Amino acid sequence: MAMFLANQLHMVINQRALRRERVFRDRSHPLDKWNDHDMYKKYRFTRLACINIIDLLSDELQHPTERNHALPPSLQVFIALRFYGKGSYLDESGAEPHGVSIPTAQRAVSRVTPLLCRLQNDYIKFPRTAEEVRQKQRISWLLDQGISSCGKYSINVQLVCDAKYRILNVVARWPGSTHDSRILQASRLGHAYESGRLQGLLLGDSGYALKPWLMTPIQHPSTEAEEEYNRAHKRTRVLIEQLNGQLKNKFACLGSSGPKVKSPETACDMIVACCVLFNISKDDYVQEAQDDDDDNQPPNPDDAGDLEALMQMNYLELQSGMNLFAMFLVKL
């Protein structure tokens, strides 16, 4: 009997030891494997841009010890970039190419995403001084877009961009059922314009109310001037629609199916993180050339009309049939 109990105890100890045994996979480093072209195809960023992003986040991502083969900051960033670009943790997208498990890949993305969100004020800035407004050609474009999350929720995202596709403002915290005007009215951007602290004009679609600083299409144009205004407005506002296409093309996690995450809050953080990364990419001229070669790139703004002429328009005040004043655009 004693021998039987001793054997049983020995088996239990061995089973516990087997359960405690950890399997560490071979983790190859992307910087050691890929050139600029391959790096961009896999991570949507060039080598230099990836290194810059790693430098921005490495201090916060560094584990206090190297126990249990902790992921280095660089690999955490690459896993997150791969997920943003492919939209999935599975197989070739997030875990497998980096020699980590799916839960490890998920933890890496969950660490990188909020850190990128903290950089929002550094990389997503709205022009405030008269000189900054002049440099932005006096006009910005505004549009709300719905981004799905998990196929169950939608997030109504407010975006503002300039003529060079740089994001100037992003608000990603409202459910898809919220009206566009409500989001703008409650945002810091809307408050700053209402109080006169911001200069310049915004262009918005018909989902917004006409304001002295927000130009919207005329619903029922009755004169040639109103028709010309609507045509100029449409040709100009196409840039924000192209920006929307660029964002979803660059980051598949923002595509039609939305980020594969468990909560709307996480989806909102991921949207802001991708917007920060998008602006970071605009400072990488090598990457911009890669974007130009992308077959899925949205059409050039020149296809929508003479952008330079549109950016040099005068502003005239006309009285509409509803006794509401509007700002009309007339080419020089």
Side-chain angles (χ1 to χ4, degrees):
M1 184 66 178
M3 183 64 68
F4 175 77
L5 291 177
N7 289 336
Q8 290 294 321
L9 179 61
H10 183 69
M11 291 177 59
V12 170
I13 293 174
N14 287 339
Q15 289 174 355
R16 288 178 178 176
L18 288 173
R19 285 199 298 268
R20 287 196 301 267
E21 185 177 353
R22 299 282 300 276
V23 177
F24 298 104
R25 306 180 186 184
D26 179 27
R27 297 170 181 170
S28 58
H29 203 289
L31 289 175
D32 299 331
K33 295 177 61 177
W34 313 117
N35 58 27
D36 255 347
H37 179 76
D38 293 334
M39 187 78 73
Y40 183 82
K41 291 298 183 184
K42 295 178 181 297
Y43 299 101
R44 308 304 292 164
F45 286 89
T46 62
R47 290 172 60 88
L48 178 60
C50 288
I51 293 172
N52 290 338
I53 295 170
I54 292 169
D55 289 341
L56 288 172
L57 306 179
S58 59
D59 290 344
E60 298 288 339
L61 292 174
Q62 184 67 53
H63 289 281
T65 70
E66 296 298 326
R67 293 180 58 188
N68 297 323
H69 290 235
L71 284 181
S74 57
L75 201 53
Q76 294 180 59
V77 171
F78 279 118
I79 291 171
L81 293 179
R82 182 73 171 178
F83 171 74
Y84 300 147
K86 297 297 182 181
S88 174
Y89 295 106
L90 302 175
D91 300 330
E92 74 279 359
S93 294
E96 187 63 29
H98 303 99
V100 301
S101 65
I102 292 175
T104 300
Q106 291 173 332
R107 287 192 293 271
V109 175
S110 67
R111 295 192 70 196
V112 171
T113 299
L115 295 180
L116 287 170
C117 290
R118 294 182 195 175
L119 300 175
Q120 178 178 355
N121 293 335
D122 295 329
Y123 289 93
I124 301 177
K125 299 179 180 179
F126 201 87
R128 294 183 175 274
T129 67
E131 177 61 20
E132 289 175 340
V133 172
R134 187 192 65 79
Q135 291 177 356
K136 294 296 182 184
Q137 302 291 335
R138 290 183 54 81
I139 298 182
S140 302
W141 291 264
L142 179 140
L143 178 74
D144 280 340
Q145 59 182 352
I147 296 182
S148 173
S149 172
C150 307
K152 298 180 181 179
Y153 307 100
S154 64
I155 308 298
N156 202 353
V157 180
Q158 175 177 288
L159 282 176
V160 183
C161 81
D162 63 14
K164 296 183 178 180
Y165 299 110
R166 182 176 288 273
I167 298 173
L168 306 179
N169 176 265
V170 57
V171 178
R173 61 174 180 268
W174 294 85
S177 59
T178 310
H179 196 278
D180 297 350
S181 290
R182 174 72 178 92
I183 299 175
L184 179 60
Q185 182 181 2
S187 68
R188 293 180 180 179
L189 183 67
H191 291 163
Y193 267 110
E194 287 289 357
S195 64
R197 290 183 285 115
L198 281 180
Q199 306 177 49
L201 296 172
L202 293 177
L203 266 67
D205 59 22
S206 56
Y208 298 95
L210 178 68
K211 293 180 179 293
W213 46 269
L214 176 57
M215 305 169 70
T216 62
I218 296 176
Q219 294 299 313
H220 304 289
S222 59
T223 67
E224 180 58 32
E226 293 175 354
E227 294 280 0
E228 176 62 21
Y229 165 77
N230 275 2
R231 287 192 291 268
H233 190 286
K234 182 178 180 180
R235 290 196 300 268
T236 308
R237 191 169 52 83
V238 74
L239 270 75
I240 189 67
E241 298 170 1
Q242 292 175 342
L243 168 69
N244 187 13
Q246 290 182 21
L247 263 174
K248 293 180 179 181
N249 178 56
K250 191 174 188 69
F251 303 110
C253 68
L254 303 182
S256 58
S257 60
K260 304 299 188 296
V261 294
K262 295 182 179 180
S263 70
E265 292 79 11
T266 303
C268 292
D269 286 346
M270 200 163 291
I271 293 167
V272 174
C274 288
C275 289
V276 170
L277 289 172
F278 186 83
N279 274 5
I280 290 177
S281 73
K282 292 301 176 184
D283 296 325
D284 184 358
Y285 296 105
V286 176
Q287 186 171 172
E288 288 288 282
Q290 296 270 11
D291 284 332
D292 291 340
D293 293 337
D294 198 324
D295 293 337
N296 296 321
Q297 184 72 3
N300 190 286
D302 291 340
D303 297 337
D306 188 352
L307 177 59
E308 292 301 322
L310 288 174
M311 295 305 295
Q312 298 176 10
M313 291 180 288
N314 291 327
Y315 307 100
L316 302 176
E317 292 186 9
L318 294 178
Q319 191 74 20
S320 71
M322 299 293 293
N323 292 324
L324 297 174
F325 92 95
M327 301 288 288
F328 285 84
L329 304 177
V330 178
K331 294 183 182 179
L332 289 174

